[in-house]
Amino acid sequence: MTTHEVPNKLMVEGFRVRRSFGFGGLSKSATMLAAAVLVADGLIATQAPLSLTVTVPVTGALFGLAAARRHGMSALAYYWAKLAWRRAARAEATSYRRLLLPYPYALDLPGVGASSTLIKAHDPTTGRPVGVVHDRTSGHMTISTLLAPGGSLMAPTGAVQSSLRTWSSVLDAMSTDDQIKGASVTIQITPGAGEALGDDVRARRDPHAPLLAKTLISELVRTTPHATASVAPWMSVTVDPTATANPPSDLAEQVAEAIKVVDSLDLSGTGTDIERRCTDIDLRRLVRSAYDPAVFNARDAEFADLSWAECGPQAADDGWEEYSHDGGVSISWVLREMPRRPIPYSVLLPLLAPGRYQRRITLAYRVLDPYEGEAVLEREISHAEQRERATAEVKGRAKWSQRADTQRARRAAAQAAGGSQVVDWTLMVTATARSTDELPAARQELARAVKATRGIRMRPAYGAQAAVFAAGLPLGYNPLVK
């Protein structure tokens, strides 16, 4: 058995979760709230001393939940979210059913996509149409680009290093452009492309080829339907066209400004090639086929006449751990914690490997500008040092984990001072099964893929399945963009 050895030069590190300073495991805001509540309890007790028998146990229970952890978050936040979801479910706010309205009325996409609308624009540079998603609430515009990534597992170390440096330069360009608010890279793997590939191979096979070659090709054709998939990668960039010295006055100028900003990002040398900017038909296909995977390979003419709202589901139910929609049931997981040790650049390979079910992997970015990044790192160092001192005053010495965390915060500040960028990012994965009966198998396959990354910790998007599902689509929604 052979293994893929990754040189030390291709190991990646520097991941760290923001941590504020508080008492007893609480965050800074929770500690301040706890102090205010305890003061209020004391003031009430001056007038009614017996009230302490009720207020103190309740207050202690609430802040005990706030200090406890469940699935990587505070137990109080987890149970509060579950209570809010149950209230919404009782009010039928988690169910969506599309209705037919008389002209000129029309419905919007459900959930976080409700404020978006699709604009068909013309790119004078290429002469091709471009689909622009406009958020009518914030004014942001999102342009997606279809990509054609090349493999890097067999590439020389120098070539991979060059690709990583070039991608770092792209992030650096985002940090200094006030108009770019965020970006996301999505790779969608749809199984089942092996049948068409097998038909093509059989049609092109030479009957006069050597027996060994024909036997090998026949074996590949037999196993191909179980081992291949259709891969559709794209990158979405969210732009604020008005964040400039001379903001555009009308919608047409705003669209032109957004296209110009996205064109300024040079992806050459990042290990991927630009296939083209997404047209309005491409966006309709990606969104509609996510809700109904059966139409992914339909002809362009079937999407040309769809309105933007018709690209969404006919019916959908947002569950606590699953999202039911037209063509199946989806489960979405979000990043809980990255490994604290260096990891190989190919760490996401198990998630990108084809499986039995359609899978969508999304990396969402928000690059902090240099001044904001410096302020964040200085604040993190201060919080880490305060935790060390507080523990040392109580127990006589700080924990080794706290000392290591302080060192990581200082190392990050040193890297930023050397020109590196501070990036808020998250990882989201969505797997879609065709029916509820297949959902346990899809959940098991996703769990195994996450475990195979050897260090990345993820959890279900509790109570936010529809939102995370939409975040992986070119709808203009990025959870990191304010």
Side-chain angles (χ1 to χ4, degrees):
M1 177 179 178
T2 60
T3 59
H4 175 58
E5 296 293 339
V6 179
N8 291 332
K9 294 181 180 179
L10 299 182
M11 303 296 283
V12 184
E13 60 180 339
F15 308 105
R16 188 177 179 277
V17 179
R18 291 192 189 186
R19 295 182 177 89
S20 60
F21 172 71
F23 176 77
L26 297 176
S27 63
K28 182 179 180 180
S29 57
T31 300
M32 296 176 63
L33 180 60
V37 171
L38 289 175
V39 170
D41 290 346
L43 293 176
I44 295 173
T46 59
Q47 303 297 324
L50 291 178
S51 64
L52 290 175
T53 59
V54 177
T55 58
V56 171
V58 171
T59 301
L62 289 176
F63 289 104
L65 288 173
R69 309 298 293 176
R70 185 171 176 81
H71 301 296
M73 67 185 85
S74 72
L76 182 61
Y78 173 82
Y79 290 116
W80 180 262
K82 193 163 190 176
L83 177 62
W85 177 83
R86 286 181 174 177
R87 291 182 59 188
R90 282 197 298 268
E92 298 184 351
T94 58
S95 298
Y96 172 81
R97 300 293 183 270
R98 194 167 74 195
L99 304 174
L100 295 177
L101 299 178
Y103 181 83
Y105 303 102
L107 293 178
D108 297 317
L109 290 173
V112 294
S115 61
S116 67
T117 184
L118 179 61
I119 299 173
K120 181 179 180 181
H122 178 76
D123 188 355
T125 304
T126 61
R128 296 177 178 176
V130 177
V132 180
V133 178
H134 178 219
D135 191 318
R136 293 167 292 185
T137 301
S138 63
H140 295 168
M141 294 187 175
T142 301
I143 298 177
S144 300
T145 304
L146 294 180
L147 305 175
S152 60
L153 291 180
M154 300 183 66
T157 301
V160 179
Q161 282 184 296
S162 177
S163 298
L164 294 176
R165 285 194 297 267
T166 305
W167 179 247
S168 178
S169 300
V170 173
L171 296 179
D172 181 67
M174 293 182 187
S175 70
T176 55
D177 194 330
D178 294 335
Q179 291 181 284
I180 298 180
K181 299 303 179 182
S184 63
V185 177
T186 300
I187 300 179
Q188 179 173 283
I189 301 102
T190 305
E195 289 84 352
L197 182 61
D199 293 341
D200 181 67
V201 169
R202 281 191 292 267
R204 298 168 60 186
R205 187 171 53 184
D206 186 356
H208 303 292
L211 179 61
L212 177 61
K214 291 192 291 185
T215 303
L216 179 61
I217 291 297
S218 298
E219 181 66 17
L220 289 174
V221 168
R222 186 183 66 82
T223 59
T224 286
H226 307 284
T228 63
S230 172
V231 180
W234 65 86
M235 178 179 181
S236 300
V237 181
T238 301
V239 176
D240 184 359
T242 62
T244 181
N246 298 311
S249 57
D250 59 12
L251 185 61
E253 292 182 359
Q254 292 177 9
V255 171
E257 182 70 17
I259 294 176
K260 183 178 70 174
V261 171
V262 175
D263 285 342
S264 67
L265 292 177
D266 185 10
L267 297 180
S268 59
T270 59
T272 185
D273 295 325
I274 294 179
E275 186 173 332
R276 66 174 183 274
R277 303 291 181 210
C278 282
T279 65
D280 56 315
I281 295 179
D282 292 330
L283 295 178
R284 291 189 184 100
R285 177 190 297 276
L286 291 174
V287 175
R288 182 63 198 140
S289 63
Y291 290 103
D292 188 1
V295 303
F296 180 78
N297 294 314
R299 297 177 178 177
D300 288 349
E302 299 184 26
F303 299 98
D305 296 331
L306 287 180
S307 67
W308 186 234
E310 290 174 335
C311 296
Q314 300 284 344
D317 293 298
D318 189 7
W320 179 247
E321 293 189 44
E322 69 281 334
Y323 181 52
S324 303
H325 46 86
D326 291 350
V329 185
S330 296
I331 51 173
S332 296
W333 287 22
V334 295
L335 180 65
R336 175 176 172 178
E337 185 180 5
M338 287 295 291
R340 300 177 183 180
R341 55 177 173 78
I343 58 176
Y345 75 101
S346 56
V347 66
L348 295 181
L349 193 59
L351 287 174
L352 300 175
R356 292 177 55 194
Y357 305 99
Q358 185 186 75
R359 192 182 303 163
R360 199 163 46 252
I361 300 93
T362 300
L363 281 167
Y365 299 91
R366 185 178 77 90
V367 187
L368 280 60
D369 65 74
Y371 297 104
E372 183 183 0
E374 181 181 0
V376 167
L377 292 175
E378 290 295 334
R379 187 164 57 247
E380 290 299 303
I381 292 175
S382 176
H383 290 164
E385 291 176 345
Q386 289 174 0
R387 283 192 296 270
E388 273 196 73
R389 286 195 297 267
T391 304
E393 291 176 358
V394 175
K395 297 185 177 181
R397 68 172 180 84
K399 297 179 180 179
W400 286 109
S401 59
Q402 292 175 332
R403 295 178 182 178
D405 185 63
T406 303
Q407 293 175 359
R408 284 194 297 270
R410 291 172 178 170
R411 192 181 307 119
Q415 292 173 349
S420 300
Q421 301 302 322
V422 182
V423 181
D424 277 344
W425 70 281
T426 189
L427 173 66
M428 297 167 285
V429 182
T430 297
T432 300
R434 292 301 180 92
S435 65
T436 306
D437 296 337
E438 297 180 356
L439 190 59
R443 183 178 285 110
Q444 184 182 47
E445 181 180 272
L446 179 56
R448 287 176 176 173
V450 172
K451 186 178 180 179
T453 60
R454 297 183 181 180
I456 296 180
R457 302 180 66 187
M458 303 190 71
R459 63 169 176 82
Y462 297 111
Q465 290 288 318
V468 177
F469 182 94
L473 300 176
L475 293 176
Y477 170 67
N478 188 324
L480 301 180
V481 175
K482 300 178 181 179

